[in-house]
Amino acid sequence: MQVTRKQERLVRQALDEWQQSGEISEQEHQQLRSTLHRIPFDWKRLSRYAFWIAMVCLIIAAGSIFSDSALVYYLIELFSVSEIMRVISPALIASALYFWGFKRQRKEIQWHYSTEFILFLGVMFTAIFLWQLGELLDTGSGHIAPLFLIGCAIYGSIGFISRSSLVWLFFLLMLGNWFGAETGYMSGWGAYWLGMNYPIRFVFFGAVLLAGCYFLQNVLVHRRLFTMTKIMGLTYLFIALWIMSIFGNYDPDTWYRTSSVNLLPWALLFGVASVICIYISLKTDDGMLRGFGLTFLGINLYTRFFEYFWDSLHSAIFFFILAVSLILIGRKAEKIWHTVENNTFTGKPSKNE
């Protein structure tokens, strides 16, 4: 069996523990160890990193081009001779790239990362198509949400059909842009929509996306899109909660006159959401939820320190109090853990069951 250095270490450790516990004999242990063959170099990981870096470089290159107005004008003039062709040309190129990616995906399954890169190029030309379509249909109304909705339809269908988490990521990003643009247009680009500012809107957006992710879990898992949807739902939710803990449901003019005490409920809500996420992760052994919960709980604590105690309390005292409280929580969790462990060996039900 071909394994990487890390996989070999884990497998050998598992085999040693099985032998010590009597699960396998010495002969079986040696036989299984002899089947491990370390890969001298992880070419798969190199391939993945190379294509990731290439994608980042292309995004930076595109940003550099769009920041140069003279170069953009030259490329547009070189690219086509009419406004209609400026829309049709990138659409045709994107379609050809998507078709090439689908064909390559069906016939050459082993070329995963290069196929993803081809689909990514299709994503970029789709973005150019949407940009030129917006330029062509612009009426001065500022209603750009329909363009994002078209992008959602394209990226969503391509990502779903191709089972590409990369294209699906752009669908989820476009979906967030559409929601923000549509609610902004409906509110007249004011601070509130249905009494909610942008952070609160995206708290609900992230929560709905996360709920939809679990509701459609079987479908998304089958299409290999569940993990990406879950990541983006948690990202939308927790980033919105963090911003809301700083600004509350206030517009920029009112926020400057708001005391920190009035923002405390939003900070507590942010903390409660992080703790709930950690609790669920401990019950379900979900590493992703645990990572998000711990990360944003730490961000919340640091934010509150700078907000409430930066001028009045020495940082050493603040973090000492925080450390003591975490030690107490850890000690309590340790007692519960040992109780459950002992009851497991003795067959007695724990108090928490």
Side-chain angles (χ1 to χ4, degrees), residues 258-299:
T258 304
S259 65
S260 299
V261 177
N262 294 331
L263 296 173
L264 184 59
W266 306 109
L268 291 174
L269 177 62
F270 182 26
V272 168
S274 301
V275 171
I276 291 175
C277 193
I278 296 171
Y279 176 77
I280 295 174
S281 73
L282 295 175
K283 296 286 286 186
T284 60
D285 194 24
D286 191 321
M288 185 187 301
L289 289 178
R290 181 168 58 249
F292 270 90
L294 290 172
T295 299
F296 282 96
L297 181 61
I299 290 174

Side-chain angles (χ1 to χ4, degrees), residues 278-352:
I278 296 171
Y279 176 77
I280 295 174
S281 73
L282 295 175
K283 296 286 286 186
T284 60
D285 194 24
D286 191 321
M288 185 187 301
L289 289 178
R290 181 168 58 249
F292 270 90
L294 290 172
T295 299
F296 282 96
L297 181 61
I299 290 174
N300 190 13
L301 294 172
Y302 271 99
T303 304
R304 301 292 76 78
F305 168 70
F306 286 106
E307 186 174 0
Y308 296 112
F309 305 112
W310 181 253
D311 296 325
S312 60
L313 185 65
H314 195 280
S315 59
I317 298 175
F318 172 81
F319 285 105
F320 176 77
I321 296 172
L322 181 60
V324 170
S325 63
L326 291 175
I327 288 172
L328 294 175
I329 294 173
R331 180 58 180 164
K332 179 63 175 177
E334 190 177 40
K335 289 182 178 179
I336 297 174
W337 166 46
H338 284 301
T339 302
V340 173
E341 189 178 54
N342 292 332
N343 291 335
T344 300
F345 284 112
T346 59
K348 298 178 182 180
S350 66
K351 295 180 180 179
N352 299 315

